[in-house]
Amino acid sequence: MTNDEIYSELALKLLGKDLQHLDPEELHVIQSIAKRDVSSRDTHDVVDGKLTYGEHLSDRVAAIGGS
């Protein structure tokens, strides 16, 4: 079975759509499912990368002493 056949089968089974009718995001998810890749990120990790030093310090203090 080719990748396109697998993607097409998953699209029909999971989304009820033909492969050629999927939008780019849906196609990406179908491909990730077929490859058993992770298609999402932990939002906590994303936010952690954007916190300032003061926000990190505040979170640490709150974790130890409560809010």
Side-chain angles (χ1 to χ4, degrees), residues 21-64:
H21 293 108
L22 298 181
D23 62 40
E25 292 84 12
E26 291 171 327
L27 180 58
H28 175 73
V29 171
I30 291 296
Q31 290 170 335
S32 294
I33 291 170
K35 295 175 187 175
R36 299 180 186 261
D37 286 340
V38 176
S39 63
S40 64
R41 295 182 291 174
D42 185 348
T43 55
H44 185 68
D45 291 342
V46 173
V47 171
D48 266 353
K50 296 180 181 178
L51 294 179
T52 65
Y53 174 76
E55 290 168 329
H56 273 291
L57 181 60
S58 175
D59 284 348
R60 290 294 204 185
V61 170
I64 295 168

